[in-house]
Amino acid sequence: MVNGVGEGCAPLSAVADAVLYEGYLLYPYRRSSAKNRVRWQFGVLLPRNWVERDGPVTPGLSGSADSWYQQTECLVRARREDAAVRVRVRYLQLQHKQVEAADGDGGHRPVESLRTADGVTHLSFEEAVPRETEVVLTLEELLHGGRTVTVGAPAGAEYEPLPAGAGRTARRRREVRARATVVAEPLAPDLYRLRVRTENTDQAPDPAAPRGAVLRQALLATHTLLVGDGVEFVSLIDPPAGLAEQVRGCRNAFTFPVLGGAPQQPGGEDGATGASLLSAPIILPDHPQVAPESPGDLHDAAEIDEILTLRTMLLTDEEKAEARATDPRAARIVDRVETMPQEVFARLHGTIRSLAPAQASAQASASARPAWWQEGGDDGLFPTTDTVLVDGVPVGGGSRVRLRPRVRGADAQDMFLAGRSARVSALFHDVDGSVHLAVTVDDDPAAELHGWYGRFHYFRPDEVEPLAVTDAPDQGGPAQRSPRPARLADRPESGRSDAHA
């Protein structure tokens, strides 16, 4: 950008890199592991005739479904006439690494593995090459038809000889054909809807071919980075109140945009805005960031770094050798773990991001009984029968409520349950004195099963609205204190020597 604002998005780029390689290769980072035989699960854009061989695709926010296109729509507010937007479309291009043994006649034949004279084993595997296309558009150009650019990648091949003439490693890529269109439309003075649509424009030679055969024509882990110059992006999760209706009009398909950078300081306008946006096939919160304690990507952001590091340390020498031979990124992970300084490893154990003073009610409650870590600290607490007042109504096990997750700070998954009715199964007291209601959603087909083994959604009392008894589907029956049936562990099993009649 003309003012260099694009250079200030390094933290967001780190998150984008994590999205790019999420699930690329999972612990134990070996080719032989079952979980590394089914790959490429996020943001996969395949040829349209292959994707729609059985009918049109159904768009959704999650990018875990195969598609031929990806669409991002968001709101932007322009602060200057010369405002501009920098758009980066990023993805991985599949690269097949084939080990080939010398056949003695000057030729080569493909093999799954080859051990050379130096004792190193070389493995065939599917790698990937990062691709990125960047375009900068002024607001004027966006409003007058925008621009369509090619975001594909050329075919290519590289050959690397193996020691002592044993053979070679061939890396081959097929051409990826794709385009991206960026356009905007005015909604109100200084307010616009921006759209970025990325499409795979190739055709599969055989629409009935298996998925693995067409992946080499695909865009993998596709996502979009947007940075504004004289422009601010509006949060789709926590928009200003006056823009809620326009936000609902945004249509995102197989991706979801969130604000990047640091959160804005309290005291400003309601809602959230920012100078950058990340539209990813993985649902993220606004202002995502990579933990500063993390020394490097492990390609599994849903797992805990310390656990993965410990497990990788415990791999046998043979397993580590296979991981190194599988992929260069796996080799770097194993090397990093083996050479990690003690002080770096210690930082992985955990940290506290923020502390807040305990509420007065929590302090009063603490003074009435022993602290939670002391004997008797939970005396008098009965999750299935305890109640809490919500709008003057006692709410506890068996109560029916409507879910109203708070606008700011709510879990992204909770936002999808807004307005749904649910049944309270239990009330839990946290160690800080706060209260949480464990609920099952009424229209969840697995609600009874979730209640049976104790898998609940948790909401604070101020995030629910009590429903009248007449709203209950079983209004004619007696009220139940705890709708959850006994667990298996609570019931005797026939055939067991410790079962009681």
Side-chain angles (χ1 to χ4, degrees):
M1 309 299 269
V2 293
N3 63 356
V5 68
E7 301 171 3
C9 63
L12 184 59
S13 295
V15 176
D17 288 341
V19 169
L20 188 66
Y21 285 99
E22 177 66 11
Y24 173 80
L25 195 62
L26 300 175
Y27 169 87
Y29 308 111
R30 306 192 316 268
R31 185 187 70 169
S32 61
S33 175
K35 66 175 71 174
N36 289 321
R37 298 177 187 174
V38 181
R39 303 166 68 204
W40 321 118
Q41 302 300 315
F42 302 105
V44 180
L45 305 188
L46 294 149
R48 183 174 185 175
N49 67 327
W50 186 88
V51 174
E52 295 189 339
R53 63 194 184 280
D54 296 321
V57 296
T58 301
L61 295 180
S62 172
S64 59
D66 290 339
S67 175
W68 60 274
Y69 74 96
Q70 187 181 84
Q71 177 172 296
T72 298
E73 284 193 353
C74 62
L75 299 184
V76 297
R77 291 194 292 203
R79 298 304 190 188
R80 305 196 313 260
E81 291 185 359
D82 63 344
V85 176
R86 179 195 299 267
V87 180
R88 296 179 185 174
V89 177
R90 309 173 80 232
Y91 61 92
L92 294 175
Q93 178 186 18
L94 192 67
Q95 174 174 271
H96 183 64
K97 179 184 70 171
Q98 179 65 62
V99 177
E100 300 178 347
D103 60 11
D105 296 326
H108 297 85
R109 56 183 175 84
V111 294
E112 284 300 305
S113 65
L114 181 64
R115 187 178 180 87
T116 51
D118 56 2
V120 177
T121 298
H122 303 266
L123 301 177
S124 297
F125 195 63
E126 288 183 340
E127 302 174 338
V129 178
R131 301 299 187 190
E132 178 178 303
T133 301
E134 180 174 289
V135 58
V136 179
L137 300 95
T138 64
L139 179 61
E140 182 179 6
E141 182 179 1
L142 287 167
L143 294 173
H144 290 82
R147 192 190 308 177
T148 297
V149 296
T150 299
V151 295
E158 292 87 36
Y159 302 92
E160 178 185 353
L162 297 178
R168 67 183 185 181
T169 298
R171 289 179 166 87
R172 301 182 178 93
R173 299 173 300 280
R174 284 193 59 172
E175 180 184 9
V176 174
R177 299 176 181 177
R179 67 184 173 215
T181 300
V182 188
V183 67
E185 60 176 322
L187 299 179
D190 299 329
L191 179 67
Y192 309 90
R193 178 177 289 117
L194 177 68
R195 179 187 304 116
V196 181
R197 185 180 174 95
T198 303
E199 300 176 351
N200 187 318
T201 58
D202 208 351
Q203 292 285 310
D206 179 9
R211 185 174 186 263
V214 295
L215 280 173
R216 296 187 191 183
Q217 299 173 257
L219 294 77
L220 310 172
T222 313
H223 59 282
T224 306
L225 271 171
L226 300 99
V227 181
D229 181 9
V231 164
E232 63 179 12
F233 300 94
V234 176
S235 169
L236 269 65
I237 298 174
D238 182 18
L243 300 180
E245 188 64 30
Q246 291 90 332
V247 162
R248 282 192 287 271
C250 292
R251 296 291 177 262
N252 289 281
F254 307 104
T255 187
F256 189 76
V258 297
L259 297 181
Q264 61 193 36
Q265 296 299 316
E269 64 174 341
D270 71 305
T273 59
S276 60
L277 199 78
L278 170 61
S279 186
I282 301 170
I283 296 178
L284 299 169
D286 278 337
H287 311 293
Q289 62 176 328
V290 174
E293 296 81 13
S294 179
D297 198 351
L298 295 169
H299 308 321
D300 192 353
E303 188 54 273
I304 300 171
D305 277 23
E306 183 182 31
I307 292 176
L308 285 180
T309 300
L310 285 169
R311 288 178 173 176
T312 305
M313 286 179 175
L314 294 176
L315 292 175
T316 65
D317 291 342
E318 292 77 12
E319 290 173 323
K320 291 178 180 178
E322 183 186 346
R324 289 188 172 98
T326 295
D327 189 272
R329 298 186 71 88
R332 288 196 289 271
I333 290 174
V334 174
D335 292 342
R336 184 173 70 241
V337 166
E338 287 193 331
T339 60
M340 185 177 294
Q342 183 61 37
E343 60 272 18
V344 174
F345 180 75
R347 290 202 296 269
L348 299 181
H349 190 60
T351 186
I352 298 176
R353 297 287 179 219
S354 63
L355 291 173
Q359 299 178 356
S361 60
Q363 295 173 348
S365 176
S367 63
R369 60 174 182 267
W372 63 270
W373 65 84
Q374 296 175 332
E375 185 176 357
D378 57 356
D379 287 352
L381 301 180
F382 303 97
T384 58
T385 57
D386 285 349
T387 61
V388 63
L389 285 178
V390 178
D391 295 335
V393 178
V395 173
S399 301
R400 295 192 66 251
V401 297
R402 194 167 303 282
L403 305 177
R404 305 290 188 191
R406 58 192 186 278
V407 175
R408 295 193 182 187
D411 184 277
Q413 300 296 331
D414 291 348
M415 300 298 291
F416 292 109
L417 302 179
R420 309 274 280 278
S421 61
R423 183 180 295 276
V424 178
S425 292
L427 182 150
F428 293 103
H429 295 262
D430 207 339
V431 296
D432 63 1
S434 60
V435 170
H436 298 277
L437 297 168
V439 307
T440 55
V441 181
D442 284 341
D443 58 357
D444 184 348
E448 184 177 356
L449 182 62
H450 291 330
W452 173 62
Y453 58 70
R455 181 167 184 170
F456 303 114
H457 297 283
Y458 293 90
F459 291 85
R460 303 187 318 184
D462 60 356
E463 295 181 297
V464 303
E465 170 190 319
L467 292 178
V469 176
T470 54
D471 294 331
D474 56 349
Q475 53 187 324
Q480 298 181 4
R481 286 190 171 185
S482 175
R484 183 177 66 182
R487 299 170 181 262
L488 283 175
D490 299 331
R491 296 180 293 189
E493 299 180 29
S494 59
R496 281 185 51 173
S497 58
D498 59 346
H500 299 283

